[in-house]
Amino acid sequence: ATTCPAGSVCPTTAMTAPTTCTAGSFCPSTGLSAETPCPAGSFCASQGMSVATTCPAGNYCPIDGMTEATTCPIGSICPYDGMSASTACSAGSYCPSTGLTASTTCPAGSFCPADSTTAPTLCSPGWFCPSTGLSAAATCPAGSFCPSDGMSVPTTCSVTSFCPTTGMSAPSTCPAGYYCPSTGMSVATACAPGSYCPSTGLTGTTTCPVGNYCPSPAISAYVACPVGYYCPQTGLSSTTPCPVGSSSKVTGASACTICGNKTFAGLPGSANCTECPSESYSYSG
């Protein structure tokens, strides 16, 4: 008798010819009575094979008895020979085509969640992606803004504006009553008493003029001194009542008027001087 050659089987006695191993199986040695299915991680493409073919990198062979390798799908990699399963793209990278042996690192300005496939995701306005290989975007911090897609560095809020919250895509203009003197501000500065901020987008305050006062913070207009009071200098936050013997009958006065002859003002803060009774008299001042 002749021994069954490798690549063949002789399942019964009294055979006149060996049986060739079928595709999907292999017959690794002589004298075999049964063929062996190609194991997972390999394939047997043709009949009569005595050695299984290892699945090449970029492919995988998931089950026994395969006749051809399966190409690694989009979103996965097959980095080694002999793989029986593909590996999903890791977070921070993407796998845009089939048959890959390595993933592509997500570039700055974008992020790649786990299993990313065809392309990285651009960071949206209000967000930024500062480095490569990110799996999630970062929120723009207060004091800055991110106006467009794909930003890797936030834009610092400029003077005349402020960025009070995270995730802003545009700065806020400083409102009237406030000023923004420096870059990167997250809180606008209120105009101090004695000054005012008449318009939006200011980098500094305006001093209250003579004859007026600015009584509280964050005001956009000065207040005229009322009758009976005077505001003798700039930058005042309060008024001064006209002293006894003087008056002011107009608003916005910077000085009081001394009562004339035969008139008097007996109380501070008088709006007018009063004529003296007939039995009394007064000298000017």
Side-chain angles (χ1 to χ4, degrees), residues 20-49:
T20 302
C21 266
T22 58
S25 297
F26 71 114
C27 300
S29 60
T30 61
L32 294 175
S33 61
E35 59 189 17
T36 302
C38 263
S42 65
F43 66 101
C44 297
S46 58
Q47 296 178 337
M49 295 186 67

Side-chain angles (χ1 to χ4, degrees), residues 43-73:
F43 66 101
C44 297
S46 58
Q47 296 178 337
M49 295 186 67
S50 60
V51 178
T53 303
T54 302
C55 262
N59 300 268
Y60 68 110
C61 298
I63 59 175
D64 293 346
M66 295 192 70
T67 59
E68 62 180 358
T70 300
T71 304
C72 236

